[in-house]
Amino acid sequence: MSQVTQSPMKKISLEKIVLNMGLGKSGDVITTAQVALEQISGKKPSTRNAKAAYRDWGVRKGEPIGVAVTIRGEDAVALLKRLLEAKGNAINGKSFDNFGNFSFGINEHIDIPGVKYDPQVGILGLGISITLTRPGYGIRTRSKHKARVGKTHVIKSQEAKDYLEKEFGVTIT
């Protein structure tokens, strides 16, 4: 029997990790969340503004109501290992979509290895979104001659699960 070699264009890799804290109000909690995200990622987070006014909640349009940070490259791989360790190296199978993305949440940011409790910050939860990619995915976002990614080249849910199990030792529940 001959060994089947996989095309280098089918190799899956980690594109980015987005850490998000949606707080629903502005003020001191925004700066507190920025400090917490900077502790976790080592990068400077940016604020996310309200797209519309929500009078019942006291939120005005354009008011900062959340913070987020995007991590790419080798930093993203190291951070993903820490984030998965905080979740016990287990991810729910329903967290995956059919385009190579998956998301999960962490209720207490101090569960992440390397993050110490700070009484000034307290304990905050965050949402984590991970995007996987393959070579050739840049045609979706380039400025000239944008094109769709073919349906055989799109990362399926099962392929994303297999990649996580193989590369990061994650169990899918």
Side-chain angles (χ1 to χ4, degrees), residues 140-165:
R140 297 181 303 170
T141 55
R142 65 186 180 188
S143 59
K144 284 188 171 183
H145 309 295
K146 284 187 174 131
R148 290 185 321 132
V149 173
K151 66 180 178 183
T152 59
H153 199 61
V154 170
I155 300 171
K156 309 265 186 311
S157 174
Q158 189 58 47
E159 291 173 325
K161 291 174 186 175
D162 293 342
Y163 169 77
L164 271 182
E165 287 174 347

Side-chain angles (χ1 to χ4, degrees), residues 73-86:
E74 293 301 317
D75 294 342
V77 174
L79 179 62
L80 182 56
K81 288 178 182 175
R82 288 175 42 216
L83 294 170
L84 291 171
E85 193 176 319

Side-chain angles (χ1 to χ4, degrees), residues 56-138:
D56 295 341
W57 297 339
V59 174
R60 295 184 305 277
K61 183 178 179 180
E63 183 178 25
I65 57 169
V67 292
V69 63
T70 302
I71 299 100
R72 299 174 193 269
E74 293 301 317
D75 294 342
V77 174
L79 179 62
L80 182 56
K81 288 178 182 175
R82 288 175 42 216
L83 294 170
L84 291 171
E85 193 176 319
K87 288 295 283 184
N89 280 337
I91 299 289
N92 189 338
K94 294 179 181 177
S95 299
F96 293 81
D97 70 1
N98 285 322
F99 298 100
N101 307 308
F102 64 98
S103 300
F104 59 92
I106 294 179
N107 292 333
E108 297 180 357
H109 78 283
I110 58 172
D111 289 344
I112 301 168
V115 178
K116 301 283 189 266
Y117 176 73
D118 183 3
Q120 302 286 324
V121 175
I123 297 174
L124 298 169
L126 68 149
I128 298 134
S129 298
I130 291 101
T131 303
L132 301 176
T133 187
R134 279 189 167 138
Y137 267 35

